[in-house]
Amino acid sequence: MTDAVLTFAQTGPRKVDFFSEEAMARVQKRYRAEARFKAYGLGAVVLAGIFVVILLADIVSKGLPAFFEHRIALTVTLDAAKIDPEGKRDIEVLRAADYQRLIYDGLREEFPGVSDRRDRRKLEGLVSTGSGNDLRTLVLRNPSIIGQKTTLPVLLSDDADLYLKGIGTRVERAVGKGTLDIKQQGKTVELVGSAGAFAAPLADVKARLKRLASATEFELQGLSAAQATANAALEARREDLTARVKDFRQRSGDPASAETLDPATMPSELVEIAGGLVRLTEIAPGRAAGVVLLPLAADATRSDSWHRTTYTTPESNRRITDIEIAWLESLRGRKLTEKGFAWRFFTNGDSREPELAGIRGALIGSALTLAVTLLFCLPIGVGAAVYLEEFAPKNRLTDILEVNINNLAAVPSIVFGLLGLAMFLNFFGLPRSAPLVGGLVLALLVLPTIIIASRAALKAVPPSIKEAALGVGASHQQAIFHHVLPLAMPGIMTGTIIGMAHALGETAPLLMIGMVAFIVDIPQAISDPATVLPVQIYLWSDLPEVAFQAKTAAAIMVLLAFLFVMNGAAILLRRRFEQRW
Amino acid sequence: MNKKFLGISVAALAMAVSVGSAVARDQIRIVGSSTVYPFTTAVAEQLGKAGGIKTPVVESTGTGGGMKMFCEGVGENFPDATNASRRMKIGEFEGCQKNGVKDIIELMVGYDGLTLALSKKAQPLKLTRAQVFLALAKQVPGPDGKLIANPYKTWNQVDAALPNRPIEVLGPPPTSGTRDSLHELIMEPGAEQIPAMKALKAADRKAFDAAWKSIREDGPYVEAGENDNVIVQKLETNQNAIGVFGYSFLEENVAKIQGASIDGVMPDMDTIASLKYSPSRELFIYIKKAHISVVPGLDKFAAEYVSDKAAAEGGYLEKKGLVPVPKAKLATSKANIAAQKVMTGEGLSK
């Protein structure tokens, strides 16, 4: 201030016009720059927010169906002769009985018409191969029900479950007009009605042919444009396409001609009539022929109440066939299907059947691994931090140590896996795939993080506190352990929890020590084989079954929830115990 | 407080170490091919459900990595069995013998077809193995028959009968067993079909081998990682792209992708099992005889793998995408495991 006055006195008042045009322009420019910077910042936050929202929405929308499962209420006859032929109720005999077969028998009673071996296998494929285990548990818990009939919820297989969740095909249903004559002949049926009875499905088929024609024509045009040299194979293909276009055009142009339905390209057209279901193979305006999927009343020759049903996805484009859909729809029509929360997702270990696979093994594996990690890295990390911060002499050696701790925090995690393989498995001979080894490897991984965070927390405690303790006669160690460390604890805890969250998400180091494995049994101890959550996600994402994609997303949701809880705890600890000076 | 923590953790480590090494292994451990992994895990689960023994632990390490671990020695620290998407090589067999893994039981459990697949929305594609070689090799024969850097950017440059579409192949990285199959099932036989390459084979075997073993790195071949589901997603969005993977993925994803015919044959269960579809391969599992009497349930596991309800037609492995072995061959495998017949190393390739 005095300086300014001095200069002012020496040079005389300098005329500064704060309101000149240039000055105003400069002010405006500064304001604009600030506004631009604010906009960039806001834009960055919004962009990041949008990505997070898209990611979460994608995961949640994919994963939510995995938390639900479909079951059918099936009545099963618990035939004593099949379960316990000797009648001694010996627990070993009861356990060894073929309960899956009993469920299959119950299912066949629901659809007595199914006699063909192939169809039978398809029907049995509707229920999960794990449903027999549920029945076994039920019988073992209460052996007195043997010999009776019991109704129990039976888990459906992954494909059937996906269909009932609406993934697979859409089903359209419309009331049919007029009266149909039914001519049954074994598995085939002819339906004859008035002239316009099948006009609607036929028109749809023709419209589809028209679209096929234009698609083929488009392909043909691409071919003609690309073809520069005369080539025999190309010419043949061109002729084939031309003929097909002509054929499609001709067929779609004539609204009255009969059509056959091709399951590879056409949606499935079905007719519900006389308590049964017929899949059409041939359609003409006034008549149609088809194959029986669900049996019609044997004496039905005429009916005026019928429905037209369409499965919009062509049969060859979906995993579930027409007859399986017919069975499921029939069960649904009889109110035998139910949707429920998939508790088994949280009670089962891994499985190769998507409907049976659960997250429990991985959750417990993660918990055990993290427990081992915490047990090792917290005392060692805090001890190292206290020593380095408060006791270690400041010399070249401790400088090198400090640089190396910082470097270690940036080493790629796979390196720790290699270290774990060489040291814990090959040298110490610890068991492969065990949470003990995983925990040790992850402890090495998060140790630098914890040391750095703990040192920062210790440094943040005001020196006056230590000095006061020393002043009243405490030893250096007493001053630190009684006064400084407790005050630094919230910061240390926050750092530790963030380190733990980091460890929870690691897969790469676990790859080397065999924790990337198919493990069904739930781990009971730290030396049992186990996987962890991120590994489970990785393993599921790699499997071919479509239903595992939903499981993958669901497992990600569980992992995220775990992370939120841990980070939430970190924030809570900080809020509750943090001291400000 | 700190001392107490330290004491506890040291005690825990000491206890854990003693627990870890004192308990003998009562659980089967299997390593090996990621292609066979889905099938072996299914068998393992069935075995676990039947009760009596713990469910075997199956690791997916790749065929080569699995063989290495398998051949390291006999004892509870080494795996009992390994999955392989190809036959054991003579070098691996000798390595096993050297490390004391003398008696190995070989089981052929099924087939896998290597398929080239494209989006269902794209126009079907008919290829020959020679065409695929020309499209993917790093070096191809030029007009004068000498090897030049691969100049082809579109399929119709490879062969005028093919559509005018850019070559875009999403395939496995070099660490994958599927990549080995791509080389051995498509690239090598494809190269042999080309006269200039055949001449090269006669003149300079080394240069020929180098030619089919190297895949171009200038863009048209994209290494898509081991996760085949990602490839399927990419195929759906890009109709020019062609994916390389095992038949089970094609079968599981019929709603989204279609196979390309190779040498005039479309991939399906029948053409692969009869080996008519040229890029198909056999899948194996190797078991240590010395472990059978020590690790409980290992013999049961082997028997379950080749049982009718698993590996035969209509068995649960077929539902998982394995192309089943014909009855006669399955009977041989069953006899091998029943008699515990060990490999002699005859007929193995280098």
Side-chain angles (χ1 to χ4, degrees):
Chain A
M1 204 55 205
T2 43
D3 278 1
V5 172
L6 255 174
T7 348
F8 208 68
Q10 281 164 358
T11 57
R14 194 163 67 101
K15 270 198 170 174
V16 180
D17 184 359
F18 292 111
F19 301 100
S20 75
E21 225 156 77
E22 295 89 62
M24 292 302 279
R26 277 199 301 275
V27 169
Q28 283 305 315
K29 201 177 159 196
R30 287 210 301 272
Y31 278 137
R32 279 201 304 275
E34 190 174 324
R36 267 203 308 277
F37 179 74
K38 274 186 185 164
Y40 294 150
L42 192 66
V45 170
V46 168
L47 198 66
I50 288 173
F51 282 127
V52 169
V53 167
I54 290 175
L55 182 75
L56 284 181
D58 185 51
I59 289 171
V60 170
S61 68
K62 273 190 189 149
L64 223 43
F67 290 110
F68 297 93
E69 63 185 19
H70 280 90
R71 298 174 281 248
I72 49 173
L74 195 66
T75 306
V76 178
T77 314
L78 296 168
D79 190 348
K82 280 182 189 158
I83 299 174
D84 190 9
E86 290 171 20
K88 286 182 190 155
R89 297 290 185 266
D90 181 13
I91 197 95
E92 282 309 311
V93 175
L94 293 188
R95 185 168 288 147
D98 189 353
Y99 292 96
Q100 196 66 40
R101 181 50 45 208
L102 294 178
I103 289 191
Y104 289 156
D105 290 345
L107 196 60
R108 280 180 59 195
E109 270 170 42
E110 293 288 338
F111 297 100
V114 181
S115 52
D116 181 47
R117 236 182 104 233
R118 265 186 111 115
D119 282 350
R120 230 163 53 203
R121 204 179 293 148
K122 267 189 197 158
L123 182 62
E124 289 169 1
L126 287 183
V127 294
S128 166
T129 49
S131 50
N133 282 354
D134 293 350
L135 183 58
R136 174 181 294 132
T137 318
L138 191 80
V139 171
L140 289 179
R141 204 177 290 159
N142 183 12
S144 64
I145 56 171
I146 294 175
Q148 299 170 9
K149 276 190 174 198
T150 183
T151 303
L152 78 161
V154 171
L155 185 66
L156 288 175
S157 72
D158 53 333
D159 284 334
D161 184 53
L162 281 178
Y163 168 73
L164 288 178
K165 279 173 182 162
I167 305 158
T169 179
R170 224 152 30 87
V171 178
E172 284 167 6
R173 199 157 173 268
V175 179
K177 281 182 226 126
T179 306
L180 295 183
D181 287 328
I182 305 166
K183 288 177 200 159
Q184 296 196 51
Q185 220 169 24
K187 286 291 272 180
T188 59
V189 173
E190 206 185 336
L191 303 167
V192 183
S194 57
F198 293 104
L202 190 59
D204 284 349
V205 171
K206 299 280 182 194
R208 198 165 170 88
L209 279 172
K210 207 168 173 181
R211 281 201 297 278
L212 271 176
S214 28
T216 319
E217 197 157 52
F218 183 72
E219 201 182 316
L220 187 63
Q221 276 165 5
L223 203 63
S224 323
Q227 147 204 58
T229 50
N231 178 300
L234 231 117
E235 202 51 46
R237 175 148 181 81
R238 236 176 71 82
E239 271 166 25
D240 174 45
L241 285 181
T242 320
R244 275 169 63 187
V245 170
K246 205 175 148 198
D247 176 46
F248 289 148
R249 286 242 176 279
Q250 194 180 15
R251 278 159 68 188
S252 62
D254 179 4
S257 67
E259 285 298 338
T260 51
L261 291 166
D262 170 18
T265 55
M266 299 274 180
S268 304
E269 290 285 350
L270 304 100
V271 169
E272 276 172 55
I273 191 166
L277 190 67
V278 178
R279 181 178 62 198
L280 302 184
T281 48
E282 241 185 283
I283 306 182
R287 56 167 285 282
V291 198
V292 176
L293 290 188
L294 298 177
L296 282 59
D299 53 351
T301 52
R302 207 175 154 79
S303 174
D304 58 356
S305 139
W306 59 283
H307 289 87
R308 171 200 170 198
T309 311
T310 313
Y311 303 156
T312 51
T313 310
E315 192 175 17
S316 69
N317 283 6
R318 50 182 140 88
R319 296 264 311 149
I320 191 157
T321 57
D322 286 347
I323 187 154
E324 286 167 309
I325 295 180
W327 286 326
L328 287 172
E329 285 297 333
S330 156
L331 288 169
R332 178 142 71 178
R334 284 184 264 165
K335 302 252 186 293
L336 289 176
T337 59
E338 58 173 20
K339 186 180 180 180
F341 190 78
W343 288 110
R344 75 184 79 225
F345 184 66
F346 295 99
T347 58
N348 278 15
D350 196 6
S351 168
R352 276 295 287 128
E353 306 300 328
E355 73 274 10
L356 296 175
I359 197 87
R360 190 188 185 92
L363 255 175
I364 298 209
S366 266
L368 288 174
T369 307
L370 285 187
V372 172
T373 306
L374 190 68
L375 198 66
F376 280 91
C377 73
L378 190 61
I380 297 176
V382 174
V386 168
Y387 177 75
L388 283 175
E389 194 59 38
E390 303 286 348
F391 295 98
K394 296 270 173 279
N395 58 24
R396 176 160 289 197
L397 191 72
T398 47
D399 282 350
I400 290 175
L401 213 60
E402 189 169 342
V403 169
N404 273 310
I405 288 171
N406 289 335
N407 276 343
L408 215 54
V411 166
S413 54
I414 187 90
V415 176
F416 289 98
L418 287 166
L419 181 74
L421 174 68
M423 219 171 81
F424 299 127
L425 293 189
N426 294 349
F427 186 69
F428 284 126
L430 294 180
R432 247 182 111 74
S433 316
L436 171 65
V437 182
L440 287 173
V441 168
L442 293 179
L444 293 179
L445 183 78
V446 295
L447 207 49
T449 317
I450 290 183
I451 293 177
I452 292 167
S454 303
R455 291 188 67 178
L458 287 168
K459 218 177 260 176
V461 177
S464 56
I465 290 180
K466 194 168 88 182
E467 281 156 13
L470 293 174
V472 294
S475 76
H476 196 176
Q477 190 187 353
Q478 279 174 329
I480 295 198
F481 284 143
H482 295 175
H483 301 283
V484 179
L485 198 56
L487 286 172
M489 231 29 193
I492 292 174
M493 281 302 166
T494 313
T496 307
I497 290 175
I498 288 169
M500 288 289 128
H502 177 194
L504 176 65
E506 274 297 340
T507 37
L510 304 180
L511 209 84
M512 310 309 299
I513 55 160
M515 287 187 91
V516 182
F518 175 74
I519 293 159
V520 175
D521 301 334
I522 314 270
Q524 307 291 337
I526 52 172
S527 56
D528 283 354
T531 51
V532 293
L533 280 168
V535 167
Q536 191 66 75
I537 291 167
Y538 166 75
L539 286 173
W540 280 349
S541 76
D542 204 21
L543 288 172
E545 285 87 356
V546 179
F548 269 119
Q549 290 174 16
K551 290 271 171 184
T552 308
I556 293 174
M557 285 165 73
V558 172
L559 179 68
L560 285 180
F562 209 132
L563 278 174
F564 282 145
V565 169
M566 284 180 76
N567 287 336
I571 292 171
L572 202 73
L573 277 177
R574 204 163 52 214
R575 285 265 167 85
R576 290 283 302 267
F577 299 111
E578 195 173 42
Q579 301 242 10
R580 286 177 192 281
W581 288 285
Chain B
M1 177 167 101
N2 205 20
K3 261 189 187 162
K4 211 191 284 171
F5 257 136
L6 212 68
I8 290 170
S9 48
V10 168
L13 177 64
M15 199 178 71
V17 170
S18 59
V19 164
S21 47
V23 175
R25 193 148 59 80
D26 60 349
Q27 194 164 24
I28 302 174
R29 302 208 61 128
I30 304 161
V31 295
S33 164
S34 55
T35 313
V36 191
Y37 171 86
F39 312 125
T40 304
T41 47
V43 175
E45 193 177 352
Q46 282 296 325
L47 204 62
K49 266 189 200 159
I53 62 160
K54 281 190 181 175
T55 309
V57 172
V58 189
E59 272 184 61
S60 162
T61 61
T63 302
M67 285 286 181
K68 217 177 123 207
M69 290 163 77
F70 181 77
C71 287
E72 259 169 13
V74 172
E76 66 171 81
N77 287 335
F78 305 101
D80 307 310
T82 183
N83 300 316
S85 58
R86 54 165 168 78
R87 244 190 132 186
M88 187 181 268
K89 290 178 182 168
I90 188 85
E92 290 164 342
F93 182 73
E94 281 163 0
C96 258
Q97 300 291 321
K98 212 173 69 195
N99 289 333
V101 189
K102 295 250 184 273
D103 296 335
I104 306 165
I105 302 170
E106 180 187 55
L107 295 178
M108 208 276 270
V109 294
Y111 302 89
D112 185 34
L114 188 71
T115 49
L116 300 187
L118 56 162
S119 162
K120 197 116 192 174
K121 285 172 245 156
Q123 154 195 157
L125 203 56
K126 283 180 186 150
L127 297 169
T128 65
R129 282 179 291 178
Q131 285 166 350
V132 179
F133 170 79
L134 289 175
L136 296 186
K138 198 170 184 178
Q139 289 192 308
V140 294
D144 57 352
K146 285 214 179 92
L147 286 181
I148 54 166
N150 196 333
Y152 305 122
K153 293 284 176 206
T154 61
W155 285 103
N156 66 346
Q157 289 169 357
V158 173
D159 191 318
L162 293 172
N164 179 16
R165 287 200 302 217
I167 299 171
E168 255 188 275
V169 177
L170 305 168
T175 49
S176 161
T178 317
R179 174 72 168 257
D180 288 349
S181 313
L182 174 64
H183 288 297
E184 285 151 23
L185 295 175
I186 294 187
M187 298 296 278
E188 186 183 10
E192 276 172 0
Q193 286 171 4
I194 300 162
M197 292 300 291
K198 212 169 181 181
L200 179 72
K201 188 181 178 183
D204 184 354
R205 182 67 199 252
K206 258 190 181 160
F208 173 78
D209 284 346
W212 65 259
K213 275 182 184 161
S214 40
I215 284 201
R216 62 196 301 183
E217 288 154 2
D218 56 343
Y221 183 85
V222 182
E223 280 174 11
E226 292 263 20
N227 191 334
D228 296 339
N229 277 329
V230 177
I231 305 186
V232 174
Q233 281 171 15
K234 283 185 184 158
L235 294 184
E236 270 188 284
T237 51
N238 181 353
Q239 296 190 17
N240 285 327
I242 295 173
V244 180
F245 36 57
Y247 178 71
S248 58
F249 267 81
L250 179 62
E251 230 227 331
E252 285 290 336
N253 292 288
V254 282
K256 299 169 188 165
I257 52 174
Q258 56 173 331
S261 88
I262 304 281
D263 298 337
V265 182
M266 285 297 283
D268 65 40
M269 288 274 180
D270 296 332
T271 53
I272 290 170
S274 59
L275 298 177
K276 261 185 206 148
Y277 177 71
S278 43
S280 47
R281 59 179 164 176
E282 295 168 321
L283 303 178
F284 295 90
I285 178 156
Y286 292 92
I287 297 167
K288 283 177 192 161
K289 189 179 172 184
H291 283 202
I292 285 183
S293 50
V294 184
V295 181
L298 188 56
D299 49 345
K300 269 194 207 162
F301 170 78
E304 169 81 22
Y305 216 133
V306 294
S307 69
D308 281 340
K309 72 173 178 163
E313 226 172 291
Y316 59 82
L317 291 180
E318 187 178 348
K319 285 188 199 133
K320 294 273 159 228
L322 184 78
V323 182
V325 210
K327 279 262 152 75
K329 266 199 164 166
L330 194 62
T332 320
S333 286
K334 276 184 199 165
N336 278 358
I337 189 68
Q340 303 198 353
K341 195 176 147 212
V342 298
M343 290 170 79
T344 57
E346 247 172 74
L348 296 182
S349 66
K350 272 187 186 167

